[in-house]
Amino acid sequence: NLFALNNDEETMKYISPPLNKAQVAGVINWFISEWERLGYGWFAVFEKETGEFIGQCGLQCLEGKQDAADVELAFVIAKNHWRQGYATEAARAVLTFGINNAGLRRIVAVTMEQNMPSQRVLDKLHFQFEENRKLYDRTVKCYALQPASGSMP
């Protein structure tokens, strides 16, 4: 469930402090309002064979700021499903949606320096490192994807 995912300290290690139930409820309301406002947002990720909820992946305004110029790809997969390709598969589907359905021509992603697994996902998806920046109250590595043809590479 979404609360268990966002409340797990190890899962949230590179994202934010674990969230309590009230914070997760606020996140859900924010997800809904962003879909209504932008026409894109976060998706639930389910394991195909079992139907088990295993994470979330989506597009949001960078740093969650409504006036941000950049759209950010983000993903969170439950730790018992790490290193099985789910983040890459979910992110690829979300990027395809963003490019083909939302008309996005540039999508960014950020990771903490130590988050090598997420950086490997971004490499597989052909994101290019741009710079280190201060975002989310910390220094992060910024990547960007600008598909030339309007589709996923």
Side-chain angles (χ1 to χ4, degrees):
N1 81 30
L2 193 59
F3 169 68
L5 178 73
N6 286 283
N7 186 253
D8 183 80
E9 193 169 320
E10 188 175 359
T11 299
M12 299 299 285
K13 179 179 180 179
Y14 298 119
I15 301 164
S16 75
L19 304 180
N20 62 39
K21 287 184 179 183
Q23 290 169 316
V24 171
V27 167
I28 291 169
N29 289 331
W30 178 75
F31 285 169
I32 293 167
S33 69
E34 289 298 273
W35 268 101
E36 291 170 350
R37 186 174 76 83
L38 300 168
Y40 57 81
W42 284 77
F43 295 83
V45 178
F46 296 93
E47 205 282 327
K48 287 179 185 176
E49 290 184 22
T50 65
E52 177 187 2
F53 172 78
I54 62 167
Q56 58 191 15
C57 182
L59 299 166
Q60 65 184 28
C61 294
L62 186 61
E63 289 193 292
K65 295 179 179 175
Q66 287 192 357
D67 61 348
D70 284 321
V71 175
E72 175 186 9
L73 169 73
F75 46 87
V76 183
I77 302 295
K79 65 183 173 190
N80 57 328
H81 294 283
W82 288 352
R83 292 179 282 287
Q84 297 177 47
Y86 292 117
T88 303
E89 183 179 356
R92 183 172 281 116
V94 167
L95 289 168
T96 299
F97 174 86
I99 293 163
N100 295 339
N101 297 78
L104 301 175
R105 295 294 168 250
R106 173 180 158 84
I107 300 170
V108 301
V110 302
T111 71
M112 291 183 66
E113 180 78 32
Q114 309 90 323
N115 191 348
M116 296 306 295
S118 288
Q119 292 168 35
R120 282 192 292 274
V121 169
L122 298 177
D123 287 341
K124 290 177 193 175
L125 296 169
H126 306 284
F127 275 77
Q128 299 297 313
F129 174 75
E130 287 193 326
E131 64 182 342
N132 290 320
R133 284 176 60 189
K134 181 88 169 171
L135 296 167
Y136 298 102
D137 297 321
R138 58 185 136 197
T139 300
V140 295
K141 295 176 72 90
C142 295
Y143 295 81
L145 177 71
Q146 294 178 259
S149 64
S151 62
M152 277 297 297

